[in-house]
Amino acid sequence: MNASVTYMGLNRTVLVEDDASSLLDISLDNQIPHMHECGGYGRCTTCRVRIVEGSQNLSRRNRAEQEMAQSRNWDPTIRLACQTYLKGNVSLQRLIWSMGEVNQLQKELAPEGKAEERSIAILFCDLRNFTSLSSANLNFDLAFMLNKFYTALGEPILMNNGIIYQYVGDEIVGVFGTTGGNREKNCTDAIRAALGMQFALSRLNKMELEDFKVELKSGIGINFGKAYVGHLGHPTHRQFSVIGDPVNVASRIQEQTKVHNARILISESVLKGIREQDVEIARSFKTLLSGKENICNLFEVLGFKEMDMKLELQASLHQLLEDQERFASLFYEKLFQTAPSVRALFKRDMTEQGRLLTHMLGGLVYSMSRPDYFHSGLKNLGINHQKYGVKPEHYPIVKTVLISTIQEVLGEEEDGNSKVLSAWSEALNVVLEAMKPLPE
Ligand code: FES
């Protein structure tokens, strides 16, 4: 077979001879970053593409893909790259490319036209000094700052399997568990997101907003309970909606952060959902929330008691990948110095190879909060690396070199980077172990 795949947006066409490769295999063989969280087993949908031209030149949808497409109302142009095979020329777009798109993916699983009750954690995050900021800054600057705020603080929600549900004025609302997950996971994800938001805010103040001479502050309230989740509204304009008393209560809890001068407050139902011994609680309050008749107990969260690997990875990722090219070139420089013989395994363009590396690292951190797909994704990654000639003895070298690169890019922090480094070390142990080929 002689056919081609053109990647729109990337402006790249690759030639394909092997008709046994799926569209996903073609991307990976050509070092084109392509999300494939479940490892190509047709379960996660992150590899989906839109076929812009040449859909007649593809294999038909198999049963798994058909069911997936039906449940998510996909039009015929959307295909699962890992389940689709090439018969002639096509042009396509990769659809899941950033955290924002993953957000969309999670909303798809909400029921259409009716709401279903689901057990979720709801997080309200308020920008504290918004009114004084509005009067002291030009509208243009204010919009710039708000955008930075929304972006930086939205990411921890997405990183922890949550959905950015709404922006209400100067508030971000995140929900966790709309697509399932047990109480402990949903509540822990929400707390980790809240702590990640604190890191993101301090980074924002220190780095990107330095010139504005402002210090943004936030207050976060989290509640857990059964809410109705669905796509509601006029038939021509349905919107993803989350409704119910637990949502209102979460908003009221956030209001209490001002009263008690606390950064993160959680309800008793969140506390009951987590392993209490894991979380550092500073204070607790008995409060009457506005519009409620019963006194409620609130707890101020300071952090996790022990090092939380996922939080450390998430909080360091931005800094590590701020200059992706630098990270990748440092890594490969160190790798080829440490193990010159592996240089022969890299036959293609090293800039593209670098992009693949940083895309993969970001994907790994994100996938850790989605355990359903994590191991199958890693297994497949291992199989692909084996195909490229990677051997089990290369794995410890990769780990040492990655840690050394991370250490160099992070530089010297006042409080040292020991927690971040041990989190990355622990994560790489898990990742590389899962990628190792099984003994023959
Ligand atoms: S569905 Fe294709 S990679 Fe998961």
Side-chain angles (χ1 to χ4, degrees):
M1 178 187 74
N2 270 320
S4 69
V5 179
T6 299
Y7 291 81
M8 312 294 286
L10 202 61
N11 216 0
R12 187 163 161 203
T13 298
V14 299
L15 298 176
V16 185
E17 288 175 3
D18 171 14
D19 57 4
S21 298
S22 68
L23 291 179
L24 177 65
D25 294 330
I26 295 167
S27 297
L28 299 179
D29 287 348
N30 288 282
Q31 292 174 305
I32 293 173
H34 198 141
M35 200 104 149
H36 57 295
E37 205 181 1
C38 73
Y41 293 98
R43 293 169 56 211
C44 68
T45 82
T46 56
C47 67
R48 67 179 72 175
V49 291
R50 182 180 297 285
I51 305 301
V52 182
E53 252 178 75
S55 50
Q56 71 284 3
N57 294 332
L58 294 171
S59 61
R60 293 167 68 129
R61 277 181 173 152
N62 62 21
R63 195 163 163 186
E65 191 188 353
Q66 241 169 31
E67 282 170 10
M68 196 79 87
Q70 218 163 17
S71 69
R72 291 164 191 254
N73 273 334
W74 285 352
D75 68 55
T77 63
I78 300 189
R79 300 297 308 267
L80 273 189
C82 68
Q83 305 296 311
T84 306
Y85 292 82
L86 197 66
K87 295 191 285 181
N89 300 349
V90 293
S91 302
L92 57 80
Q93 258 175 327
R94 294 155 301 162
L95 289 180
I96 304 296
W97 189 232
S98 68
M99 288 301 186
E101 286 141 3
V102 171
N103 197 35
Q104 203 50 41
L105 181 150
Q106 311 232 73
K107 285 182 184 171
E108 264 179 12
L109 292 172
E112 272 295 326
K114 63 183 165 76
E116 276 176 17
E117 198 177 53
R118 300 205 175 152
S119 296
I120 56 170
I122 309 109
L123 175 156
F124 272 73
C125 172
D126 175 62
L127 176 58
R128 226 358 129 248
N129 33 355
F130 183 67
T131 316
S132 56
L133 279 177
S134 318
S135 49
N137 287 282
L138 297 171
N139 283 346
F140 183 81
D141 289 344
L142 196 64
F144 175 85
M145 281 190 269
L146 264 184
N147 251 336
K148 290 278 178 195
F149 175 77
Y150 287 147
T151 307
L153 275 73
E155 261 174 37
I157 296 177
L158 302 175
M159 284 273 191
N160 287 290
N161 210 19
I163 293 177
I164 300 173
Y165 170 43
Q166 273 181 343
Y167 300 115
V168 190
D170 52 349
E171 277 184 344
I172 303 179
V173 187
V175 284
F176 302 80
T178 53
T179 55
N182 62 30
R183 182 175 184 168
E184 184 179 333
K185 173 162 174 30
N186 297 340
C187 291
T188 311
D189 280 346
I191 290 178
R192 187 180 306 104
L195 294 167
M197 289 163 118
Q198 302 292 316
F199 278 116
L201 196 60
S202 83
R203 189 183 64 230
L204 196 61
N205 284 328
K206 259 197 254 164
M207 314 285 285
E208 294 174 69
L209 299 182
E210 207 190 0
D211 294 340
F212 288 88
K213 305 278 178 265
V214 295
E215 194 191 348
L216 300 184
K217 291 194 175 132
S218 68
I220 298 174
I222 308 174
N223 189 29
F224 174 83
K226 288 193 169 150
Y228 287 89
V229 176
H231 284 98
L232 303 178
H234 188 275
T236 60
H237 186 64
R238 292 199 199 284
Q239 275 189 339
F240 175 75
S241 310
V242 182
I243 40 179
D245 193 51
V247 183
N248 306 332
V249 170
S251 166
R252 309 264 154 77
I253 295 172
Q254 183 282 119
E255 284 165 12
Q256 290 294 315
T257 60
K258 293 177 207 160
V259 179
H260 297 287
N261 193 22
R263 288 185 173 173
I264 303 171
L265 286 179
I266 61 172
S267 65
E268 194 162 7
S269 66
V270 175
L271 190 76
K272 280 187 181 154
I274 56 172
R275 286 156 35 100
E276 207 178 319
Q277 67 273 26
D278 291 348
V279 175
E280 200 174 334
I281 303 290
R283 296 177 285 169
S284 63
F285 315 96
K286 288 198 182 305
T287 311
L288 192 60
L289 298 178
S290 59
K292 295 278 147 197
E293 286 176 358
N294 298 326
I295 296 280
C296 105
N297 293 317
L298 299 180
F299 304 86
E300 182 184 15
V301 171
L302 289 188
F304 289 113
K305 282 192 184 143
E306 302 285 331
M307 186 270 286
D308 182 80
M309 180 179 77
K310 290 181 203 164
L311 179 62
E312 296 297 334
L313 299 187
Q314 292 168 9
S316 61
L317 191 64
H318 189 274
Q319 193 182 343
L320 287 177
L321 300 189
E322 201 157 22
D323 184 345
Q324 303 196 10
E325 267 179 38
R326 176 175 174 242
F327 185 93
S329 68
L330 251 180
F331 170 79
Y332 287 113
E333 195 184 305
K334 285 173 187 283
L335 181 67
F336 300 150
Q337 257 169 25
T338 314
S341 63
V342 302
R343 181 70 184 86
L345 299 179
F346 297 87
K347 298 186 179 74
R348 294 201 177 92
D349 182 86
M350 287 311 288
T351 311
E352 285 177 10
Q353 180 68 41
R355 263 185 235 133
L356 209 57
L357 171 82
T358 51
H359 177 77
M360 198 178 68
L361 275 185
L364 280 177
V365 172
Y366 158 71
S367 296
M368 284 197 163
S369 67
R370 293 157 64 88
D372 295 355
Y373 307 128
F374 189 58
H375 284 279
S376 58
L378 289 175
K379 196 169 148 219
N380 194 271
L381 197 63
I383 294 170
N384 279 330
H385 277 76
Q386 228 178 320
K387 277 198 241 157
Y388 306 144
V390 176
K391 303 226 156 40
E393 58 268 29
H394 293 141
Y395 286 78
I397 303 173
V398 168
K399 183 187 163 190
T400 311
V401 173
L402 258 177
I403 293 291
S404 154
T405 310
I406 291 169
Q407 195 164 16
E408 186 165 338
V409 172
L410 290 180
E412 277 305 314
E413 288 278 311
E414 282 163 32
D415 54 351
N417 284 315
S418 58
K419 265 207 223 163
V420 180
L421 290 173
S422 60
W424 275 99
S425 173
E426 195 181 309
L428 289 172
N429 286 345
V430 174
V431 167
L432 297 175
E433 188 56 41
M435 281 175 67
K436 264 192 198 158
L438 292 172
E440 285 168 14

